[in-house]
Amino acid sequence: QKEVEQNSGPLSVPEGAIASLNCTYSDRGSQSFFWYRQYSGKSPELIMSIYSNGDKEDGRFTAQLNKASQYVSLLIRDSQPSDSATYLCAVTFSGGYNKLIFGAGTRLAVHP
Amino acid sequence: GAVVSQHPSWVICKSGTSVKIECRSLDFQATTMFWYRQFPKQSLMLMATSNEGSKATYEQGVEKDKFLINHASLTLSTLTVTSAHPEDSSFYICSVTRTVFTEAFFGQGTRLTVV
């Protein structure tokens, strides 16, 4: 069974701190990895995409991918209260149709 | 990012009736669209893959006769919840991708409440 695992949280960090979100996946053939942010009652919005091993930085966000360990992470620097949301890890599994499978999400709370 | 329009954004229907949800890709042609369902405090669960001009591919456990998917054009997919029951109340979201293995763009979602 193809799975994407995340710690459900909540992860609580003070404003200005670094938030670290983690995700593991089961399919070694996966090629594409994404982090989405979802506010309550809204649909997900893309934060980061990463396709190769290593780090990818975009503003306050850094995605890290380690395919050997089947591990993806997202770091949020200088966390703001507006970052409080559920962060969904998504993986495109091999086997056709470009299906995107989501983890359960980690709820992040940034307190002033 | 791609613009995906989903309609309606919310709907309330009586038990036993059917509801149709539309998903439109506004700025590119999408041969494949995806339908997800999300219950409160849970993650998105893929229901089916909608393929233009052919039958949809349903995930295990999803009743194809209850959730009818039609992808009649390269910009429109519809999901019809037939004979809706209160347990079908959920947040339904569609998505499209430009090419294989790239990011998905989501519609605004449809909150369905069956009373």
Side-chain angles (χ1 to χ4, degrees):
Chain A
Q1 176 144 358
K2 304 192 187 318
E3 294 181 343
V4 179
E5 301 284 346
Q6 290 181 260
N7 187 323
S8 62
L11 174 64
S12 182
V13 300
E15 184 175 356
I18 296 175
S20 177
L21 306 165
N22 304 312
C23 170
T24 59
Y25 59 94
S26 63
D27 185 359
R28 285 193 174 275
S30 297
Q31 299 185 32
S32 310
F33 309 86
F34 308 96
W35 284 98
Y36 286 84
R37 177 174 63 196
Q38 186 177 28
Y39 292 110
S40 180
K42 303 294 184 181
S43 62
E45 56 178 325
L46 181 69
I47 298 296
M48 292 283 287
S49 60
I50 187 166
Y51 302 94
S52 56
N53 282 328
D55 295 358
K56 179 181 178 182
E57 186 175 320
D58 184 0
R60 296 187 295 114
F61 300 96
T62 298
Q64 299 173 316
L65 173 62
N66 184 326
K67 290 186 178 181
S69 300
Q70 296 174 239
Y71 175 87
V72 192
S73 67
L74 178 70
L75 299 177
I76 306 174
R77 290 181 298 281
D78 189 23
S79 296
Q80 301 297 309
S82 59
D83 295 326
S84 299
T86 296
Y87 289 79
L88 302 168
C89 173
V91 177
T92 302
F93 279 92
S94 56
Y97 290 117
N98 196 27
K99 293 195 295 187
L100 200 59
I101 306 299
F102 284 83
T106 298
R107 190 157 57 90
L108 173 66
V110 181
H111 53 86
Chain B
V3 180
V4 182
S5 177
Q6 190 173 338
H7 177 81
S9 56
W10 61 270
V11 59
I12 301 174
C13 71
K14 291 184 177 181
S15 186
T17 61
S18 296
V19 173
K20 180 184 285 188
I21 303 169
E22 293 187 349
C23 179
R24 293 183 183 274
S25 176
L26 298 182
D27 61 351
F28 70 94
Q29 295 180 330
T31 56
T32 304
M33 295 185 180
F34 301 90
W35 287 96
Y36 292 84
R37 177 169 55 180
Q38 186 176 37
F39 292 106
K41 299 190 184 302
Q42 295 186 24
S43 189
L44 280 73
M45 296 301 296
L46 180 64
M47 298 176 66
T49 303
S50 173
N51 305 299
E52 189 269 336
S54 64
K55 292 182 179 180
T57 305
Y58 290 83
E59 294 300 302
Q60 190 174 5
V62 177
E63 301 174 58
K64 61 181 180 181
D65 294 329
K66 180 171 185 61
F67 299 99
L68 302 179
I69 292 173
N70 185 285
H71 195 152
S73 78
L74 289 171
T75 58
L76 174 64
S77 175
T78 61
L79 168 68
T80 301
V81 183
T82 63
S83 186
H85 292 284
E87 57 265 32
D88 298 323
S89 298
S90 188
F91 192 46
Y92 293 85
I93 315 173
C94 69
S95 76
V96 301
T97 58
R98 288 187 184 276
T99 60
V100 178
F101 301 127
T102 58
E103 62 266 33
F105 298 97
F106 289 88
Q108 305 95 314
T110 298
R111 185 157 305 281
L112 170 64
T113 302
V114 184
V115 297

